[in-house]
C-alpha cells in the first residue's frame, strides 16, 4: 500500500515524525487506521489545493472576460483585484442556505457533494511530477487502472447533476439535468476513443507510465501525424464533458435561468462552481500528461521534480486559459447541434483516427518514412 | 478481524441497505437513486475480491451508463407513488421466501473450495492477455463485439426518424 506511492509514504513519514514528538511511532496504530488516516490527509490536501486553485481561476476568468469584452474586470480588492474572489467566497459562505419547500431535502443536500467528490477523487490517479531518483511518478495512488478508473469515477458526476436537477423540483433544473445526461453520455464516446490512442501508444493505462514514456522531449503529440487531430477531439469532447461553453447547455442562463443549479445558493452553489473548475483542471491535466509530455520540457528541466511540477502546472494553466478564451468567444450551441457534433462528427473521426494510429504503429511507418527520406 | 473484513462488511452493508431501499420505496425515482448506491457497494465488493478491473468497469458501465439511462427513463414517467396492495405484497413475499430458501439450500450444500488469498495483484495485464490470445478468449471476445454491434444497429433502426406516409 505505502510502497506504491510517494505521496502516501511521505504522509506516513510525517505522521511518524509527529508521533515521534510524543515518544511514539506509527506502529502503535493498526494498519487499517494508518491507511485510512493517510488517505484522509491526502484527500484533504487535494481538496484544499483545488479550492485554492479555484480562487485563482475565478479571478483569471473574470479578468480575461473583462479584457475580451473591452472592460476592466475586478481590480479594486487587493492588487490587480486578486482578493476579489476571497471576498466573494465570504459572501457565499454568509448567504442563507435555502432548500425549496417542494424539494427533496436529502437528495438536494447530497447532490453537490456527490458532484464534487467524483471529480476530486479522480485527481488521486493524476501524477503531478516525476521523481528521477526513484524513477517513479509522484502521485497519490499509482493504480494500474489509471485512466480507466478516472473515466469511471468522473462518470458519477453526471448522476450528481441529475440528482440536483430532479431534487430541486423545478422545471428549469430538470431540463438542465436532462441536457446534462444526454450530453455527457454522448461525449463520453469520443472522449474515451481519443484517450484510447495515447493508451495504445504508451501501452499502459497508468498516467505515471505516460509521464515516464515522454521524458526528454519525446512527447506523444510528435509520435505520429494523427496526434494533433486526436488531441483536438479530446479537447472538444473534454469541453463538452465539463459543461464549458460553448457546451454549457445544462446551465444555459439565457434559457434555463441557471439550469440544474437554479435553486442552489450559498455554499452548495459554490460546490457546483468548484466542480466546474476542478473538471476543467482534470481535463487540462490529462491533456497535458497524455499529449504534451506532462512535466517534461525537452529534458531541460533536469532531474528536479519541483521544476517538473511547475512545468506541468504551466501547461495546465495555458489549457485553462484557452478554455476561458473559447468561452468568451464562441456562442452556445443548440442541443440538437451538440448531439449532431458528438455522434456524427467527433465519434466517426475518433474511430478513423484510432484505426489510423493502430495501422501506423503496426507497420512502424515512422521508421519506414524516415528511411525513405534519408535515402533520397 | 482484518482490514479486508472491515471493508467487506462496510461495502456489504451499503449494498444490502440500498438494495432494500430500491425494493421497498414507494417512489420510483428514489428506488433509482438507491440503485446508484447498490452499484457502488457491489463495486466495492469486487474490490475486496481483488478484481480491480471489474470494479472500475462496474462503475463505468452501471453508474455512468445504465444508471443515467434508467434515471432518464424514470424522470420521463409520471412520478405517481405506487399504492400498497396487500395481495400483491403477499404474492411477492411468498415468491421471495421460496427463492431465499432455495438460495440458502444451495449455500448450505455447495462444496466451497477455500484457500488463503495472497495480497491481490492488478488483474488488468492478465485480462488483456487472455482476451487477445487465440488459444484463450479471442473468439468469444470478438463474437461478443459483433453481437453488441448488431444490438447498436438494431437500436438505431428502431429509433430512426420514420417518413410519414399518407
Amino acid at each position: 500500500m505505502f510502497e506504491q506511492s510517494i505521496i502516501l509514504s511521505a504522509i506516513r513519514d510525517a505522521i511518524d515524525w509527529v508521533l515521534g514528538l510524543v515518544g511514539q511511532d506509527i506502529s502503535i496504530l493498526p494498519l487499517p487506521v494508518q491507511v485510512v488516516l493517510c488517505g484522509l490527509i491526502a484527500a484533504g490536501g487535494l481538496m484544499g489545493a483545488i479550492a485554492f486553485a479555484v480562487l485563482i481561476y475565478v479571478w483569471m476568468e473574470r479578468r480575461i472576460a473583462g479584457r475580451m469584452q473591452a472592460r476592466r474586470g475586478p481590480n479594486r480588492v487587493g492588487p490587480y483585484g486578486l482578493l476579489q474572489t476571497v471576498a466573494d467566497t465570504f459572501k457565499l459562505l454568509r448567504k442563507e442556505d435555502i432548500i425549496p419547500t417542494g424539494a427533496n431535502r436529502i437528495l438536494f443536500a447530497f447532490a453537490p457533494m456527490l458532484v464534487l467528490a467524483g471529480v476530486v477523487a479522480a485527481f488521486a490517479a493524476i501524477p503531478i511530477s516525476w521523481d528521477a531518483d526513484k524513477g517513479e511518478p509522484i502521485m497519490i495512488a499509482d493504480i494500474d487502472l489509471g485512466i480507466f478508473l478516472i473515466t469511471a469515477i468522473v462518470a458519477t458526476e453526471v448522476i450528481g447533476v441529475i440528482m440536483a436537477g430532479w431534487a430541486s423540483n423545478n422545471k428549469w433544473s430538470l431540463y438542465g439535468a436532462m441536457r446534462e445526461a444526454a450530453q455527457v453520455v454522448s461525449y463520453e464516446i469520443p472522449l474515451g476513443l481519443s484517450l484510447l490512442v495515447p493508451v495504445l501508444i504508451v501501452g499502459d493505462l497508468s498516467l505515471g507510465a505516460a509521464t515516464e514514456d515522454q521524458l526528454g522531449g519525446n512527447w506523444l503529440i510528435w509520435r505520429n501525424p494523427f496526434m494533433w487531430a486526436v488531441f483536438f477531439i479530446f479537447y472538444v469532447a473534454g469541453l463538452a464533458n465539463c459543461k464549458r461553453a460553448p457546451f454549457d447547455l445544462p446551465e444555459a442562463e439565457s434559457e434555463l435561468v441557471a439550469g440544474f443549479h437554479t435553486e442552489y445558493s450559498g455554499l452548495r452553489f459554490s460546490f457546483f462552481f468548484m466542480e466546474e473548475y476542478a473538471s476543467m483542471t482534470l481535463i487540462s491535466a490529462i491533456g497535458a500528461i497524455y499529449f504534451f509530455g506532462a512535466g517534461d520540457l525537452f529534458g531541460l528541466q533536469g532531474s528536479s521534480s519541483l521544476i517538473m511540477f511547475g512545468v506541468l502546472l504551466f501547461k495546465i494553466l495555458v489549457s485553462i486559459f484557452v478554455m476561458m478564451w473559447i468561452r468568451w468567444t464562441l456562442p452556445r450551441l443548440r442541443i440538437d447541434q451538440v448531439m449532431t457534433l458528438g455522434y456524427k462528427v467527433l465519434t466517426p473521426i475518433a474511430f478513423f483516427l484510432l484505426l489510423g494510429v493502430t495501422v501506423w504503429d503496426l507497420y512502424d511507418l515512422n521508421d519506414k518514412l524516415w528511411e525513405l527520406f534519408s535515402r533520397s | 478481524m482484518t482490514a479486508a473484513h472491515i471493508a467487506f462488511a462496510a461495502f456489504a452493508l451499503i449494498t444490502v441497505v440500498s438494495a432494500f431501499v430500491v425494493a421497498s420505496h414507494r417512489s420510483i425515482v428514489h428506488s433509482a437513486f438507491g440503485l446508484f448506491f447498490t452499484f457502488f457497494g457491489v463495486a466495492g465488493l469486487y474490490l475486496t475480491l481483488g478484481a480491480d478491473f471489474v470494479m472500475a468497469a462496474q462503475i463505468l458501465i452501471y453508474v455512468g451508463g445504465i444508471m443515467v439511462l434508467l434515471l432518464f427513463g424514470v424522470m420521463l414517467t409520471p412520478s405517481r407513488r405506487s399504492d400498497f396492495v396487500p395481495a400483491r405484497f403477499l404474492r411477492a413475499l411468498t415468491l421471495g421466501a421460496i427463492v431465499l430458501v432455495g438460495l440458502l439450500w444451495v449455500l448450505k450444500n455447495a462444496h466451497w473450495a477455500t484457500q488463503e488469498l495472497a495480497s491481490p495483484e492488478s488483474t488488468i495485464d492478465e485480462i488483456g492477455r487472455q482476451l487477445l490470445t487465440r488459444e484463450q478468449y479471442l473468439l468469444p471476445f470478438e463474437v461478443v463485439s459483433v453481437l453488441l454491434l448488431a444490438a447498436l444497429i438494431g437500436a438505431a433502426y428502431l429509433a430512426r426518424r420514420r417518413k410519414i406516409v399518407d
Side-chain angles (χ1 to χ4, degrees), chain A residues 22-349:
Chain A
V22 290
Q24 301 281 356
D25 65 11
I26 196 154
S27 53
I28 60 160
L29 299 172
L31 190 64
V33 177
Q34 283 181 32
V35 172
V36 172
L37 196 62
C38 291
L40 281 179
I41 291 175
L46 198 57
M47 197 61 225
I50 288 171
F52 178 72
V54 170
L55 285 183
I56 307 291
Y57 288 156
V58 175
W59 172 81
M60 245 173 92
E61 175 108 57
R62 297 173 72 181
R63 292 289 288 194
I64 290 168
R67 182 56 61 91
M68 292 194 180
Q69 299 172 337
R71 55 185 175 84
R72 285 183 191 278
N75 64 350
R76 284 284 181 270
V77 190
Y80 303 101
L82 260 171
L83 296 177
Q84 180 67 50
T85 338
V86 181
D88 282 347
T89 311
F90 276 112
K91 182 197 75 177
L92 276 176
L93 284 176
R94 288 181 58 248
K95 273 193 173 177
E96 188 190 350
D97 175 34
I98 299 169
I99 299 181
T101 322
N104 183 312
R105 299 186 71 92
I106 301 169
L107 293 181
F108 188 85
F110 187 69
M113 299 183 224
L114 183 65
V115 163
L116 190 60
V119 179
V120 173
F123 277 95
I126 296 277
I128 55 170
S129 186
W130 178 259
D131 191 325
D133 298 332
K134 291 184 185 167
E136 271 178 54
I138 299 180
M139 58 207 296
I140 294 176
D142 191 2
I143 323 163
D144 290 327
L145 286 171
I147 193 71
F148 189 64
L149 191 70
I150 292 177
T151 43
I153 289 181
V154 168
T156 59
E157 181 231 325
V158 192
I159 305 288
V161 170
I162 298 176
M163 204 184 268
W166 184 81
S168 300
N169 191 24
N170 175 326
K171 289 280 193 302
W172 305 124
S173 304
L174 194 59
Y175 266 116
M178 297 294 258
R179 286 183 177 185
E180 159 89 6
Q183 176 178 321
V184 173
V185 170
S186 310
Y187 277 78
E188 258 170 22
I189 303 167
L191 190 70
L193 284 171
S194 57
L195 283 174
L196 218 53
V197 172
V199 170
L200 188 83
I201 298 177
V202 174
D204 200 313
L205 282 166
S206 163
L207 284 112
T211 310
E212 182 179 15
D213 201 43
Q214 301 176 85
L215 288 174
N218 191 18
W219 298 1
L220 285 175
I221 199 91
W222 320 128
R223 296 283 174 90
N224 65 53
F226 300 101
M227 285 312 270
W228 280 98
V230 173
F231 175 70
F232 183 73
I233 292 202
F234 164 78
Y235 205 72
V236 174
L239 272 182
N241 254 29
C242 44
K243 312 186 281 294
R244 258 320 258 198
F247 299 101
D248 57 345
L249 289 122
E251 46 178 296
E253 68 272 8
S254 54
E255 318 154 21
L256 297 184
V257 192
F260 62 91
H261 57 62
T262 305
E263 299 288 353
Y264 282 88
S265 68
L267 196 62
R268 299 189 205 280
F269 164 74
S270 71
F271 272 27
F272 286 113
F273 212 61
M274 277 169 72
E275 180 271 333
E276 179 176 340
Y277 287 100
S279 56
M280 280 163 70
T281 314
L282 185 70
I283 290 289
S284 302
I286 294 173
I289 292 166
Y290 260 162
F291 294 92
F292 291 97
D296 178 67
L297 198 68
F298 305 106
L300 292 176
Q301 80 281 2
S303 58
S304 160
S305 49
L306 202 63
I307 295 178
M308 285 191 75
F309 178 55
V311 172
L312 180 65
L313 221 52
F314 174 73
K315 287 172 182 172
I316 291 174
L317 279 177
V318 169
S319 159
I320 297 256
F321 169 73
V322 174
M323 284 181 179
M324 292 174 177
W325 183 10
I326 291 173
R327 172 169 176 186
W328 297 103
T329 309
L330 295 178
R332 184 180 304 127
L333 295 168
R334 254 186 358 242
I335 185 74
D336 63 312
Q337 291 170 332
V338 169
M339 287 310 181
T340 311
L341 182 68
Y343 280 118
K344 294 189 183 165
V345 181
L346 293 183
T347 307
I349 297 178

Side-chain angles (χ1 to χ4, degrees), chain B residues 13 18 66 68 73 89 111 160:
Chain B
L13 194 72
S18 60
I66 291 179
V68 174
F89 179 72
H111 173 69
R160 83 198 190 283

Side-chain angles (χ1 to χ4, degrees), chain B residues 97-152:
Chain B
I98 292 171
V99 172
L100 182 69
V101 169
L103 277 176
L104 285 177
W105 184 80
V106 170
L107 280 176
K108 197 174 172 299
N109 291 308
H111 173 69
W112 298 100
T114 54
Q115 81 182 71
E116 204 56 34
L117 281 177
S119 177
E121 297 283 313
S122 176
T123 53
I124 190 155
D125 282 352
E126 196 51 35
I127 289 175
R129 211 161 281 131
Q130 297 226 349
L131 278 184
L132 294 175
T133 312
R134 198 183 300 163
E135 293 77 29
Q136 303 278 349
Y137 297 102
L138 181 63
L139 186 68
F141 181 61
E142 293 298 330
V143 169
V144 165
S145 75
V146 173
L147 182 73
L148 279 177
L149 182 69
L152 211 69

